[in-house]
C-alpha cells in the first residue's frame, strides 16, 4: 500500500529549526504537490521521506511501517533529483537497471523491465549512450526511467523540470501526468512553480517557512485561499490586493480616499482589511471606478491590462481583445461574488516575484 | 603568385606569438631537462671525461659505472626495497587517504573542517624534527630497518596529501550521486565503492602515482630509519656522494641516479593518458 503519513514532523539543523511540525496524509495512488517559496523546507521534507535526512521529531509512515529508522534503500521509494544524478560512468541501460541489479533481480527480467520503461519514455535508441552524450531533456527522461523501472511504492520528485527550457517543461509536465494516470503510483512532487503544482496534483500543499499554510485540491486553493499568503502564491497573474478601513462592514475606504461599496457580509469585527480580487474578476465597465492603463499585453485569447487604480497597481485579465492603449482611462468594476477578505499583512514577495517571471 | 601567399598582418602576428610560445616552451623544457640529461651523460663517462674542463659532450661512452654498481651486492636489493616501500606506502595511503578525504567531504560532523586543517597543519612540521622521535619509537618497538617502518613513516605525509587532493575532488561531485545510489539499494559503503570510486578512477590513479614517486625519492626517513636490510636507493646515492674515504665517485653517483629515474619515467609514460586526465580534472573541478 502506497500511503504516506507524515505526523507532526520537525527538523532542526543544529539550533535552527526549519520544519515546525508538519502533518500530511497521502493516500494510495494520490499525487501530492508540495509548493512554496525558496527555503520553505519542501526539499527537506521530501528528503526526510526518502531517508536522506534524519527526522528530528514526529514520525513518517510509508504503508504501515514507521520508517524513521529505516535506510533509504529499504523504504521502497524512487526519487528523481533536480540535477538527475545519473551515474556518469554507466550507460543509460545500466543506469536504469542499477537498482534492480542491487536487488539481485535476474538478468533477463532486468532487461525486460528496462526495455519496457525505455519504450514508455521513448529512450530505446539511447540505451547504450553515456549520460554526457544526452541532452537535458533526455537526461530527465532517463532519470524518470530509472525511477519507474523500480516499480516502487512511492515516487519522490524534487523539482525535476526546473533545469529544462520552458517548452520542454510543459511537455514533460503532461508526460508526468500521463505516466501517473497509467501507473497510479503514489507521488510526492516538490516544486516552487505553482502552475506545475496546480496542473499535476490531486492535492496541493502550500508551505511557508517550515509550516503548512493550506492544503487541498488545486481549485479549492484557488477559489478559497485561507490566507493572504496562499492567495498571493496561487494563481498567475497573481491576485490583486487593496488595503483600507472598513465602515459598517460594507464600505471600504482606501487610503487615497476612494470608497468602494462591498456586499454585506459577516466581517464587522474587523476595521482594517485587505481585499483580494483575481485579475479575471475585474471587468472594464462604464459604471466602475476610474483607472489609468500603464501596460497592455495581448496574448491572443485574452488580454492582460496593468493599470493604476486608487494608488495601487492592479492587473486585469479580460477575455478576447481590446482597443485600450497605455495612458487611457478605463473604468473597472469587480465581481462582488468573488472578493476575498484577509487581515492586513504585507503582500508576500512571492506575488511580486510571479510578476517579474 | 605573390598575391596568393601574402599573409594578413594579423595572421603574421598571431603566428609570431605562436612561435614565441613554442620557443618559450623549449627554453623551459631545456632548463628542466638539462640536469637530467647531464646526469645520464655523466653516468657513461670515465673519470677523466667527467673532470675535463671545459665540460665535454663528446667522449667514448663506457658502462663501467653501471657494471660496477649493479654487480655490487647491495644495489639490486635496494632497488627491490625501494619498490616494496614505494608501492606499499602508495597503496596504503591511497586507501586510507581516499576514505578519509571522502569522510571529510561528505560526513556531517562537527569539527570536520578543524580535523582536516589539523591534519594539513601536521604537514608543516619539518620532517627532520619528526625523524629522530620516529627512530626512537621504531627502536623501542624493534622495528628499525624494516620495510613496514618506512611504509608507515611515509604514510604520515602521504595520507594527508592524498586526503586533501581527494577531498577537493569529492567535493566537486554532487551529493545526489550517492543519495541516488543509496535509494537504489546501496549502503553508504556500496555507494562509495560502486559509484564514487569508479568515477574517481583517473584522479585516484594519478594521485597514487604521485604518492609513489614521492616515496620513491624520499631520503631523510630512509636514512634515519634503515641501515642495511630495508635501505633504499636514495640512501645509496647519498652514501656515494658522501663517501669521504674514496671521494665522490661521480660516474657511480649518476649511474645510480639514472637507475632511480628510469622506472619513474617509464611508469609515467605508461600511464600518461590517465595522469593528464586526472590532472586536468583536478584543475577544473577541484
Ligand atoms: N544542511 C543544512 N544545514 C543547515 N540548514 C539547512 C541545511 N539544508 C537546508 N537548510 C535550511 O533549511 C531550510 C529549508 O531548505 P530546503 O532545501 O528544504 O528549501 P526548499 O523549500 O527546498 O527551497 P528551494 O525551493 O530553494 O529548493 C532553508 O532555510 C535552508 O537554509
Ligand atoms: Mg529544494
Amino acid at each position: 500500500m502506497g500511503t504516506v503519513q507524515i505526523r507532526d514532523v520537525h527538523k532542526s539543523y543544529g539550533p535552527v529549526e526549519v520544519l515546525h511540525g508538519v502533518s500530511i496524509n497521502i493516500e494510495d495512488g494520490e499525487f501530492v504537490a508540495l509548493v512554496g517559496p525558496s527555503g520553505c523546507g519542501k526539499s527537506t521534507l521530501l528528503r526526510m521521506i526518502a531517508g536522506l535526512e534524519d527526522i528530528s521529531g514526529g514520525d513518517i509512515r510509508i504503508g504501515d511501517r514507521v520508517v524513521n529508522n529505516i535506510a533509504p534503500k529499504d523504504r521502497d521509494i524512487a526519487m528523481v533529483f533536480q540535477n538527475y544524478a545519473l551515474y556518469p560512468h554507466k550507460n543509460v541501460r545500466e543506469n536504469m537497471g542499477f537498482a534492480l541489479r542491487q536487488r539481485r533481480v535476474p538478468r533477463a527480467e532486468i532487461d525486460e523491465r528496462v526495455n519496457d520503461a525505455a519504450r514508455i519514455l521513448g529512450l530505446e535508441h539511447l540505451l547504450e549512450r553515456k549520460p554526457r552524450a544526452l541532452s537535458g531533456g533526455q537526461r530527465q527522461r532517463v532519470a524518470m526511467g530509472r525511477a519507474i523501472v523500480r516499480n516502487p511504492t512511492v515516487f519522490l520528485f524534487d523539482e525535476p523540470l526546473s533545469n529544462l527550457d520552458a517548452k520542454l517543461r510543459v511537455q514533460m509536465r503532461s508526460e508526468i501526468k500521463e505516466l501517473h494516470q497509467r501507473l497510479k503510483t503514489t507521488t510526492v512532487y516538490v516544486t516552487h512553480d505553482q502552475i506545475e503544482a496546480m496542473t499535476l496534483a490531486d492535492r496541493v500543499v502550500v508551505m511557508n517557512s517550515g509550516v503548512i499554510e493550506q492544503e487541498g485540491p488545486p481549485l479549492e486553493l484557488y477559489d478559497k485561499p485561507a490566507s493572504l499568503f496562499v492567495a498571493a502564491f496561487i494563481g498567475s497573474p497573481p491576485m490583486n490586493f487593496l488595503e483600507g478601513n472598513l465602515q459598517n462592514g460594507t464600505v471600504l475606504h482606501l487610503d487615497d480616499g476612494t470608497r468602494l461599496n462591498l456586499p454585506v457580509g459577516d466581517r464587522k469585527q474587523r476595521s482594517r482589511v485587505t481585499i483580494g480580487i483575481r485579475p479575471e474578476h475585474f471587468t472594464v465597465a462604464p459604471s466602475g471606478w476610474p483607472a489609468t492603463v500603464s501596460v497592455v499585453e495581448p496574448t491572443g485569447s485574452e488580454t492582460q491590462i496593468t493599470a493604476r487604480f486608487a494608488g495601487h497597481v492592479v492587473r486585469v485579465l479580460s477575455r478576447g481583445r481590446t482597443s485600450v492603449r497605455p495612458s487611457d482611462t478605463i473604468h473597472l468594476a469587480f465581481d462582488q461574488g468573488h472578493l476575498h477578505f484577509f487581515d492586513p499583512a504585507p503582500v508576500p514577495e512571492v506575488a511580486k516575484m510571479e510578476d517579474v517571471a | 603568385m605573390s598575391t596568393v601567399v601574402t599573409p594578413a598582418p594579423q595572421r603574421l602576428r598571431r603566428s609570431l606569438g605562436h612561435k614565441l610560445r613554442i620557443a618559450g616552451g623549449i627554453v623551459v623544457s631545456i632548463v628542466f631537462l638539462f640536469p637530467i640529461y647531464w646526469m645520464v651523460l655523466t653516468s657513461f663517462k670515465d673519470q677523466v671525461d667527467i673532470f675535463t674542463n671545459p665540460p665535454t659532450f663528446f667522449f667514448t661512452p663506457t658502462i663501467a659505472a653501471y657494471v660496477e654498481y649493479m654487480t655490487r651486492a647491495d644495489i639490486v636489493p635496494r632497488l627491490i626495497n625501494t619498490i616494496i616501500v614505494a608501492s606499499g606506502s602508495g597503496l596504503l595511503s591511497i586507501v586510507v587517504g581516499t576514505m578519509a578525504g571522502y569522510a571529510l567531504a561528505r560526513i556531517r560532523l562537527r569539527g570536520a573542517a578543524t580535523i582536516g586543517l589539523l591534519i594539513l597543519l601536521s604537514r608543516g612540521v619539518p620532517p627532520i624534527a619528526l625523524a629522530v622521535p620516529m627512530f626512537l619509537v621504531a627502536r623501542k618497538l624493534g622495528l628499525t630497518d624494516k620495510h613496514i617502518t618506512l611504509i608507515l613513516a611515509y604514510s604520515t605525509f602521504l595520507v594527508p596529501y592524498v586526503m586533501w587532493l581527494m577531498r577537493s575532488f569529492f567535493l566537486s561531485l554532487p551529493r545526489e550521486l550517492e543519495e541516488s545510489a543509496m535509494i537504489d539499494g546501496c549502503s553508504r559503503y556500496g555507494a562509495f565503492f560502486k559509484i564514487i570510486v569508479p568515477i574517481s578512477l583517473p584522479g585516484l590513479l594519478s594521485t597514487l602515482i604521485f604518492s609513489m614517486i614521492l616515496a620513491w625519492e624520499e631520503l631523510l626517513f630512509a636514512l634515519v630509519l634503515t641501515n642495511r636490510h630495508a635501505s633504499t636507493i636514495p640512501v645509496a646515492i647519498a652514501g656515494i656522494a658522501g663517501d669521504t674515504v674514496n671521494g665522490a665517485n661521480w660516474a657511480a653517483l649518476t649511474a645510480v641516479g639514472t637507475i632511480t629515474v628510469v622506472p619513474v619515467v617509464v611508469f609515467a609514460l605508461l600511464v600518461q593518458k590517465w595522469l593528464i586526465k586526472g590532472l586536468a580534472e583536478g584543475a577544473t573541478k577541484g
Side-chain angles (χ1 to χ4, degrees), chain A residues 47 53 73 77 81 83 86-87 89 99 102-103 146 150, chain B residues 108 176-177 179-186 194 199:
Chain A
R47 292 167 55 84
E53 299 282 348
K73 68 187 173 76
I77 45 158
F81 293 90
N83 63 8
L86 301 180
Y87 310 128
H89 59 302
Q102 291 313 109
R103 285 176 170 67
R146 197 165 64 173
R150 298 266 311 274
Chain B
R108 264 185 230 145
E176 286 86 354
L177 279 177
E179 292 178 343
S180 198
M182 282 159 68
I183 288 174
D184 276 352
C186 295
K194 288 178 185 154
I199 295 172

PDB file of all heavy atoms in Angstrom, chain A residues 47 53 73 77 81 83 86-87 89 99 102-103 146 150, chain B residues 108 176-177 179-186 194 199:
ATOM      1  N   ARG A  47      13.226  14.910   1.415  1.00  0.00           N
ATOM      2  CA  ARG A  47      14.411  14.114   1.728  1.00  0.00           C
ATOM      3  C   ARG A  47      14.222  13.332   3.015  1.00  0.00           C
ATOM      4  O   ARG A  47      14.833  12.275   3.198  1.00  0.00           O
ATOM      5  CB  ARG A  47      15.632  15.023   1.806  1.00  0.00           C
ATOM      6  CG  ARG A  47      16.010  15.617   0.427  1.00  0.00           C
ATOM      7  CD  ARG A  47      16.999  16.749   0.560  1.00  0.00           C
ATOM      8  NE  ARG A  47      18.183  16.327   1.302  1.00  0.00           N
ATOM      9  CZ  ARG A  47      19.215  15.701   0.750  1.00  0.00           C
ATOM     10  NH1 ARG A  47      19.226  15.466  -0.530  1.00  0.00           N
ATOM     11  NH2 ARG A  47      20.223  15.320   1.490  1.00  0.00           N
ATOM     12  N   GLU A  53      17.538  12.519   5.146  1.00  0.00           N
ATOM     13  CA  GLU A  53      17.726  13.418   6.289  1.00  0.00           C
ATOM     14  C   GLU A  53      17.112  12.752   7.516  1.00  0.00           C
ATOM     15  O   GLU A  53      16.065  12.110   7.416  1.00  0.00           O
ATOM     16  CB  GLU A  53      16.989  14.756   6.071  1.00  0.00           C
ATOM     17  CG  GLU A  53      17.443  15.559   4.885  1.00  0.00           C
ATOM     18  CD  GLU A  53      18.746  16.311   5.118  1.00  0.00           C
ATOM     19  OE1 GLU A  53      19.191  16.401   6.276  1.00  0.00           O
ATOM     20  OE2 GLU A  53      19.318  16.785   4.121  1.00  0.00           O
ATOM     21  N   LYS A  73      17.396   2.635   1.233  1.00  0.00           N
ATOM     22  CA  LYS A  73      17.288   1.512   0.304  1.00  0.00           C
ATOM     23  C   LYS A  73      16.183   0.537   0.698  1.00  0.00           C
ATOM     24  O   LYS A  73      15.724  -0.235  -0.130  1.00  0.00           O
ATOM     25  CB  LYS A  73      18.627   0.771   0.197  1.00  0.00           C
ATOM     26  CG  LYS A  73      19.067   0.029   1.432  1.00  0.00           C
ATOM     27  CD  LYS A  73      20.488  -0.503   1.232  1.00  0.00           C
ATOM     28  CE  LYS A  73      21.072  -1.120   2.463  1.00  0.00           C
ATOM     29  NZ  LYS A  73      20.545  -2.452   2.763  1.00  0.00           N
ATOM     30  N   ILE A  77      11.197   3.257  -2.269  1.00  0.00           N
ATOM     31  CA  ILE A  77      10.837   4.511  -2.897  1.00  0.00           C
ATOM     32  C   ILE A  77      11.790   4.741  -4.064  1.00  0.00           C
ATOM     33  O   ILE A  77      12.833   4.107  -4.144  1.00  0.00           O
ATOM     34  CB  ILE A  77      11.033   5.688  -1.917  1.00  0.00           C
ATOM     35  CG1 ILE A  77      12.386   5.510  -1.220  1.00  0.00           C
ATOM     36  CG2 ILE A  77       9.927   5.745  -0.888  1.00  0.00           C
ATOM     37  CD1 ILE A  77      12.949   6.748  -0.672  1.00  0.00           C
ATOM     38  N   PHE A  81      15.933  13.565  -8.917  1.00  0.00           N
ATOM     39  CA  PHE A  81      16.533  14.791  -8.403  1.00  0.00           C
ATOM     40  C   PHE A  81      16.528  15.887  -9.463  1.00  0.00           C
ATOM     41  O   PHE A  81      16.493  15.606 -10.655  1.00  0.00           O
ATOM     42  CB  PHE A  81      17.988  14.535  -7.987  1.00  0.00           C
ATOM     43  CG  PHE A  81      18.134  13.615  -6.814  1.00  0.00           C
ATOM     44  CD1 PHE A  81      18.251  12.248  -7.001  1.00  0.00           C
ATOM     45  CD2 PHE A  81      18.162  14.111  -5.525  1.00  0.00           C
ATOM     46  CE1 PHE A  81      18.402  11.394  -5.923  1.00  0.00           C
ATOM     47  CE2 PHE A  81      18.311  13.271  -4.441  1.00  0.00           C
ATOM     48  CZ  PHE A  81      18.432  11.910  -4.635  1.00  0.00           C
ATOM     49  N   ASN A  83      19.018  17.665 -10.405  1.00  0.00           N
ATOM     50  CA  ASN A  83      20.165  17.541 -11.315  1.00  0.00           C
ATOM     51  C   ASN A  83      20.271  16.133 -11.904  1.00  0.00           C
ATOM     52  O   ASN A  83      21.287  15.770 -12.457  1.00  0.00           O
ATOM     53  CB  ASN A  83      21.452  17.940 -10.609  1.00  0.00           C
ATOM     54  CG  ASN A  83      21.790  17.037  -9.449  1.00  0.00           C
ATOM     55  OD1 ASN A  83      21.118  16.005  -9.254  1.00  0.00           O
ATOM     56  ND2 ASN A  83      22.798  17.367  -8.685  1.00  0.00           N
ATOM     57  N   LEU A  86      22.437  11.165 -12.653  1.00  0.00           N
ATOM     58  CA  LEU A  86      22.711   9.937 -13.401  1.00  0.00           C
ATOM     59  C   LEU A  86      24.147   9.522 -13.134  1.00  0.00           C
ATOM     60  O   LEU A  86      25.017  10.366 -12.945  1.00  0.00           O
ATOM     61  CB  LEU A  86      22.508  10.178 -14.900  1.00  0.00           C
ATOM     62  CG  LEU A  86      21.104  10.642 -15.291  1.00  0.00           C
ATOM     63  CD1 LEU A  86      21.027  10.851 -16.792  1.00  0.00           C
ATOM     64  CD2 LEU A  86      20.052   9.658 -14.832  1.00  0.00           C
ATOM     65  N   TYR A  87      24.400   8.213 -13.113  1.00  0.00           N
ATOM     66  CA  TYR A  87      25.764   7.744 -12.868  1.00  0.00           C
ATOM     67  C   TYR A  87      26.573   7.938 -14.146  1.00  0.00           C
ATOM     68  O   TYR A  87      26.301   7.298 -15.165  1.00  0.00           O
ATOM     69  CB  TYR A  87      25.757   6.268 -12.459  1.00  0.00           C
ATOM     70  CG  TYR A  87      24.773   5.978 -11.348  1.00  0.00           C
ATOM     71  CD1 TYR A  87      23.833   4.964 -11.461  1.00  0.00           C
ATOM     72  CD2 TYR A  87      24.772   6.743 -10.184  1.00  0.00           C
ATOM     73  CE1 TYR A  87      22.922   4.715 -10.449  1.00  0.00           C
ATOM     74  CE2 TYR A  87      23.864   6.506  -9.171  1.00  0.00           C
ATOM     75  CZ  TYR A  87      22.941   5.489  -9.308  1.00  0.00           C
ATOM     76  OH  TYR A  87      22.036   5.262  -8.313  1.00  0.00           O
ATOM     77  N   HIS A  89      29.444   7.091 -15.270  1.00  0.00           N
ATOM     78  CA  HIS A  89      30.264   6.040 -15.868  1.00  0.00           C
ATOM     79  C   HIS A  89      29.423   4.877 -16.366  1.00  0.00           C
ATOM     80  O   HIS A  89      29.954   3.898 -16.871  1.00  0.00           O
ATOM     81  CB  HIS A  89      31.299   5.548 -14.865  1.00  0.00           C
ATOM     82  CG  HIS A  89      30.675   4.994 -13.609  1.00  0.00           C
ATOM     83  ND1 HIS A  89      29.843   5.737 -12.798  1.00  0.00           N
ATOM     84  CD2 HIS A  89      30.751   3.781 -13.045  1.00  0.00           C
ATOM     85  CE1 HIS A  89      29.447   4.994 -11.771  1.00  0.00           C
ATOM     86  NE2 HIS A  89      29.977   3.813 -11.902  1.00  0.00           N
ATOM     87  N   ALA A  99      19.277  -0.246  -9.886  1.00  0.00           N
ATOM     88  CA  ALA A  99      18.530  -0.588  -8.664  1.00  0.00           C
ATOM     89  C   ALA A  99      18.116  -2.059  -8.675  1.00  0.00           C
ATOM     90  O   ALA A  99      18.158  -2.740  -7.652  1.00  0.00           O
ATOM     91  CB  ALA A  99      17.305   0.303  -8.536  1.00  0.00           C
ATOM     92  N   GLN A 102      21.037  -4.228  -7.882  1.00  0.00           N
ATOM     93  CA  GLN A 102      21.307  -4.204  -6.444  1.00  0.00           C
ATOM     94  C   GLN A 102      20.391  -5.172  -5.709  1.00  0.00           C
ATOM     95  O   GLN A 102      20.747  -5.715  -4.680  1.00  0.00           O
ATOM     96  CB  GLN A 102      21.077  -2.800  -5.870  1.00  0.00           C
ATOM     97  CG  GLN A 102      22.072  -1.768  -6.307  1.00  0.00           C
ATOM     98  CD  GLN A 102      23.502  -2.264  -6.182  1.00  0.00           C
ATOM     99  OE1 GLN A 102      24.172  -2.521  -7.161  1.00  0.00           O
ATOM    100  NE2 GLN A 102      23.949  -2.430  -4.950  1.00  0.00           N
ATOM    101  N   ARG A 103      19.196  -5.361  -6.265  1.00  0.00           N
ATOM    102  CA  ARG A 103      18.231  -6.269  -5.626  1.00  0.00           C
ATOM    103  C   ARG A 103      18.346  -7.687  -6.159  1.00  0.00           C
ATOM    104  O   ARG A 103      17.479  -8.508  -5.919  1.00  0.00           O
ATOM    105  CB  ARG A 103      16.817  -5.745  -5.843  1.00  0.00           C
ATOM    106  CG  ARG A 103      16.543  -4.555  -4.960  1.00  0.00           C
ATOM    107  CD  ARG A 103      15.177  -3.945  -5.203  1.00  0.00           C
ATOM    108  NE  ARG A 103      14.883  -2.973  -4.169  1.00  0.00           N
ATOM    109  CZ  ARG A 103      15.543  -1.816  -4.024  1.00  0.00           C
ATOM    110  NH1 ARG A 103      16.504  -1.492  -4.848  1.00  0.00           N
ATOM    111  NH2 ARG A 103      15.251  -0.990  -3.039  1.00  0.00           N
ATOM    112  N   ARG A 146      14.727   5.550 -14.636  1.00  0.00           N
ATOM    113  CA  ARG A 146      15.389   4.873 -13.533  1.00  0.00           C
ATOM    114  C   ARG A 146      14.411   4.701 -12.373  1.00  0.00           C
ATOM    115  O   ARG A 146      14.461   3.705 -11.660  1.00  0.00           O
ATOM    116  CB  ARG A 146      16.602   5.706 -13.100  1.00  0.00           C
ATOM    117  CG  ARG A 146      17.585   4.957 -12.284  1.00  0.00           C
ATOM    118  CD  ARG A 146      18.890   5.683 -12.196  1.00  0.00           C
ATOM    119  NE  ARG A 146      18.750   6.963 -11.497  1.00  0.00           N
ATOM    120  CZ  ARG A 146      19.783   7.733 -11.164  1.00  0.00           C
ATOM    121  NH1 ARG A 146      21.006   7.362 -11.481  1.00  0.00           N
ATOM    122  NH2 ARG A 146      19.606   8.859 -10.552  1.00  0.00           N
ATOM    123  N   ARG A 150      11.917   0.621 -11.233  1.00  0.00           N
ATOM    124  CA  ARG A 150      11.875   0.047  -9.892  1.00  0.00           C
ATOM    125  C   ARG A 150      10.488  -0.449  -9.518  1.00  0.00           C
ATOM    126  O   ARG A 150      10.336  -1.303  -8.664  1.00  0.00           O
ATOM    127  CB  ARG A 150      12.248   1.138  -8.886  1.00  0.00           C
ATOM    128  CG  ARG A 150      13.621   1.685  -9.038  1.00  0.00           C
ATOM    129  CD  ARG A 150      14.530   0.942  -8.129  1.00  0.00           C
ATOM    130  NE  ARG A 150      13.952   0.879  -6.784  1.00  0.00           N
ATOM    131  CZ  ARG A 150      14.102   1.824  -5.885  1.00  0.00           C
ATOM    132  NH1 ARG A 150      14.817   2.865  -6.155  1.00  0.00           N
ATOM    133  NH2 ARG A 150      13.552   1.706  -4.704  1.00  0.00           N
TER     134      ARG A 150
ATOM    135  N   ARG B 108      28.590  14.788   7.730  1.00  0.00           N
ATOM    136  CA  ARG B 108      28.305  15.983   8.511  1.00  0.00           C
ATOM    137  C   ARG B 108      28.743  15.732   9.939  1.00  0.00           C
ATOM    138  O   ARG B 108      28.117  15.013  10.686  1.00  0.00           O
ATOM    139  CB  ARG B 108      26.806  16.284   8.491  1.00  0.00           C
ATOM    140  CG  ARG B 108      26.453  17.291   7.436  1.00  0.00           C
ATOM    141  CD  ARG B 108      24.992  17.644   7.540  1.00  0.00           C
ATOM    142  NE  ARG B 108      24.375  17.531   6.236  1.00  0.00           N
ATOM    143  CZ  ARG B 108      23.137  17.130   6.034  1.00  0.00           C
ATOM    144  NH1 ARG B 108      22.383  16.773   7.037  1.00  0.00           N
ATOM    145  NH2 ARG B 108      22.660  17.074   4.824  1.00  0.00           N
ATOM    146  N   GLU B 176      24.040  14.127  -4.719  1.00  0.00           N
ATOM    147  CA  GLU B 176      22.884  13.343  -5.158  1.00  0.00           C
ATOM    148  C   GLU B 176      23.294  12.031  -5.800  1.00  0.00           C
ATOM    149  O   GLU B 176      22.492  11.099  -5.862  1.00  0.00           O
ATOM    150  CB  GLU B 176      22.032  14.158  -6.146  1.00  0.00           C
ATOM    151  CG  GLU B 176      21.211  15.257  -5.505  1.00  0.00           C
ATOM    152  CD  GLU B 176      21.988  16.554  -5.347  1.00  0.00           C
ATOM    153  OE1 GLU B 176      23.213  16.565  -5.632  1.00  0.00           O
ATOM    154  OE2 GLU B 176      21.387  17.549  -4.924  1.00  0.00           O
ATOM    155  N   LEU B 177      24.562  11.952  -6.281  1.00  0.00           N
ATOM    156  CA  LEU B 177      25.012  10.691  -6.867  1.00  0.00           C
ATOM    157  C   LEU B 177      24.927   9.571  -5.849  1.00  0.00           C
ATOM    158  O   LEU B 177      24.369   8.506  -6.116  1.00  0.00           O
ATOM    159  CB  LEU B 177      26.459  10.829  -7.350  1.00  0.00           C
ATOM    160  CG  LEU B 177      26.657  11.489  -8.694  1.00  0.00           C
ATOM    161  CD1 LEU B 177      28.138  11.623  -8.979  1.00  0.00           C
ATOM    162  CD2 LEU B 177      25.983  10.665  -9.774  1.00  0.00           C
ATOM    163  N   GLU B 179      23.334   9.721  -2.995  1.00  0.00           N
ATOM    164  CA  GLU B 179      21.981   9.614  -2.443  1.00  0.00           C
ATOM    165  C   GLU B 179      21.123   8.764  -3.356  1.00  0.00           C
ATOM    166  O   GLU B 179      20.348   7.925  -2.907  1.00  0.00           O
ATOM    167  CB  GLU B 179      21.399  11.014  -2.270  1.00  0.00           C
ATOM    168  CG  GLU B 179      22.142  11.767  -1.180  1.00  0.00           C
ATOM    169  CD  GLU B 179      21.658  13.197  -0.982  1.00  0.00           C
ATOM    170  OE1 GLU B 179      20.969  13.730  -1.867  1.00  0.00           O
ATOM    171  OE2 GLU B 179      21.984  13.777   0.056  1.00  0.00           O
ATOM    172  N   SER B 180      21.308   8.985  -4.651  1.00  0.00           N
ATOM    173  CA  SER B 180      20.578   8.201  -5.622  1.00  0.00           C
ATOM    174  C   SER B 180      20.935   6.718  -5.483  1.00  0.00           C
ATOM    175  O   SER B 180      20.062   5.847  -5.499  1.00  0.00           O
ATOM    176  CB  SER B 180      20.946   8.723  -7.007  1.00  0.00           C
ATOM    177  OG  SER B 180      20.024   8.310  -7.937  1.00  0.00           O
ATOM    178  N   ALA B 181      22.212   6.444  -5.337  1.00  0.00           N
ATOM    179  CA  ALA B 181      22.654   5.058  -5.191  1.00  0.00           C
ATOM    180  C   ALA B 181      22.096   4.448  -3.908  1.00  0.00           C
ATOM    181  O   ALA B 181      21.724   3.267  -3.875  1.00  0.00           O
ATOM    182  CB  ALA B 181      24.178   4.990  -5.183  1.00  0.00           C
ATOM    183  N   MET B 182      22.013   5.254  -2.856  1.00  0.00           N
ATOM    184  CA  MET B 182      21.512   4.725  -1.591  1.00  0.00           C
ATOM    185  C   MET B 182      20.021   4.429  -1.674  1.00  0.00           C
ATOM    186  O   MET B 182      19.528   3.486  -1.071  1.00  0.00           O
ATOM    187  CB  MET B 182      21.823   5.712  -0.457  1.00  0.00           C
ATOM    188  CG  MET B 182      23.282   5.606  -0.022  1.00  0.00           C
ATOM    189  SD  MET B 182      23.899   7.053   0.834  1.00  0.00           S
ATOM    190  CE  MET B 182      22.989   6.985   2.343  1.00  0.00           C
ATOM    191  N   ILE B 183      19.310   5.235  -2.459  1.00  0.00           N
ATOM    192  CA  ILE B 183      17.888   4.937  -2.669  1.00  0.00           C
ATOM    193  C   ILE B 183      17.755   3.706  -3.566  1.00  0.00           C
ATOM    194  O   ILE B 183      16.873   2.885  -3.394  1.00  0.00           O
ATOM    195  CB  ILE B 183      17.180   6.166  -3.287  1.00  0.00           C
ATOM    196  CG1 ILE B 183      17.056   7.252  -2.226  1.00  0.00           C
ATOM    197  CG2 ILE B 183      15.816   5.789  -3.832  1.00  0.00           C
ATOM    198  CD1 ILE B 183      16.498   8.551  -2.744  1.00  0.00           C
ATOM    199  N   ASP B 184      18.679   3.569  -4.505  1.00  0.00           N
ATOM    200  CA  ASP B 184      18.647   2.436  -5.432  1.00  0.00           C
ATOM    201  C   ASP B 184      19.060   1.119  -4.788  1.00  0.00           C
ATOM    202  O   ASP B 184      19.095   0.090  -5.461  1.00  0.00           O
ATOM    203  CB  ASP B 184      19.578   2.704  -6.627  1.00  0.00           C
ATOM    204  CG  ASP B 184      18.883   3.527  -7.705  1.00  0.00           C
ATOM    205  OD1 ASP B 184      17.670   3.747  -7.590  1.00  0.00           O
ATOM    206  OD2 ASP B 184      19.564   3.934  -8.667  1.00  0.00           O
ATOM    207  N   GLY B 185      19.455   1.153  -3.529  1.00  0.00           N
ATOM    208  CA  GLY B 185      19.725  -0.120  -2.869  1.00  0.00           C
ATOM    209  C   GLY B 185      21.126  -0.304  -2.314  1.00  0.00           C
ATOM    210  O   GLY B 185      21.481  -1.408  -1.909  1.00  0.00           O
ATOM    211  N   CYS B 186      21.944   0.749  -2.310  1.00  0.00           N
ATOM    212  CA  CYS B 186      23.289   0.618  -1.762  1.00  0.00           C
ATOM    213  C   CYS B 186      23.342   1.137  -0.329  1.00  0.00           C
ATOM    214  O   CYS B 186      22.563   2.004   0.055  1.00  0.00           O
ATOM    215  CB  CYS B 186      24.281   1.456  -2.572  1.00  0.00           C
ATOM    216  SG  CYS B 186      24.500   0.920  -4.258  1.00  0.00           S
ATOM    217  N   LYS B 194      30.800   1.485  -5.472  1.00  0.00           N
ATOM    218  CA  LYS B 194      30.225   1.189  -6.782  1.00  0.00           C
ATOM    219  C   LYS B 194      30.063   2.417  -7.656  1.00  0.00           C
ATOM    220  O   LYS B 194      30.024   2.324  -8.877  1.00  0.00           O
ATOM    221  CB  LYS B 194      28.862   0.514  -6.615  1.00  0.00           C
ATOM    222  CG  LYS B 194      29.003  -0.909  -6.123  1.00  0.00           C
ATOM    223  CD  LYS B 194      27.661  -1.556  -5.912  1.00  0.00           C
ATOM    224  CE  LYS B 194      27.856  -2.932  -5.301  1.00  0.00           C
ATOM    225  NZ  LYS B 194      26.703  -3.361  -4.545  1.00  0.00           N
ATOM    226  N   ILE B 199      34.023   6.572 -10.658  1.00  0.00           N
ATOM    227  CA  ILE B 199      34.044   7.903 -11.256  1.00  0.00           C
ATOM    228  C   ILE B 199      35.385   8.581 -10.994  1.00  0.00           C
ATOM    229  O   ILE B 199      35.896   9.337 -11.813  1.00  0.00           O
ATOM    230  CB  ILE B 199      32.913   8.782 -10.671  1.00  0.00           C
ATOM    231  CG1 ILE B 199      31.551   8.226 -11.057  1.00  0.00           C
ATOM    232  CG2 ILE B 199      33.028  10.219 -11.155  1.00  0.00           C
ATOM    233  CD1 ILE B 199      30.409   8.924 -10.365  1.00  0.00           C
TER     234      ILE B 199
END
